[in-house]
Amino acid sequence: MGRTMPSFVESGVWVLPFGKLVYVTSAYVMSEADLAILTKSIMKVLVTSVPEVRTW
């Protein structure tokens, strides 16, 4: 997962890979648009970086 951090930053989100987990510390108050950006960025990075995700 450590190799994914630069991809998250390039996507404009700050996501903390933690072993095999992706740890997100989002704001308590978040707009639907911001949440959509965050979740789409996570899926994009994981699908392109982690082969196991492609089989879900």
Side-chain angles (χ1 to χ4, degrees), residues 5 10 20 24-26 32 38 53 55:
M5 188 63 187
E10 287 173 15
K20 291 185 177 184
V24 180
T25 54
S26 56
E32 286 186 37
L38 178 61
V53 173
T55 61

Side-chain angles (χ1 to χ4, degrees), residues 1 4-5 8 13-19 21-25 42:
M1 279 299 228
T4 60
M5 188 63 187
F8 286 126
V13 297
W14 187 256
V15 177
L16 303 173
F18 187 71
L21 303 174
V22 175
Y23 184 77
V24 180
T25 54
I42 290 171

Side-chain angles (χ1 to χ4, degrees), residues 3-53:
R3 66 186 184 272
T4 60
M5 188 63 187
S7 298
F8 286 126
V9 174
E10 287 173 15
S11 294
V13 297
W14 187 256
V15 177
L16 303 173
F18 187 71
K20 291 185 177 184
L21 303 174
V22 175
Y23 184 77
V24 180
T25 54
S26 56
Y28 290 115
V29 179
M30 179 181 262
S31 70
E32 286 186 37
D34 286 341
L35 182 58
I37 291 169
L38 178 61
T39 55
K40 287 177 184 177
S41 295
I42 290 171
M43 287 306 298
K44 176 184 171 189
V45 170
L46 292 180
V47 166
T48 58
S49 302
V50 182
E52 300 84 36
V53 173

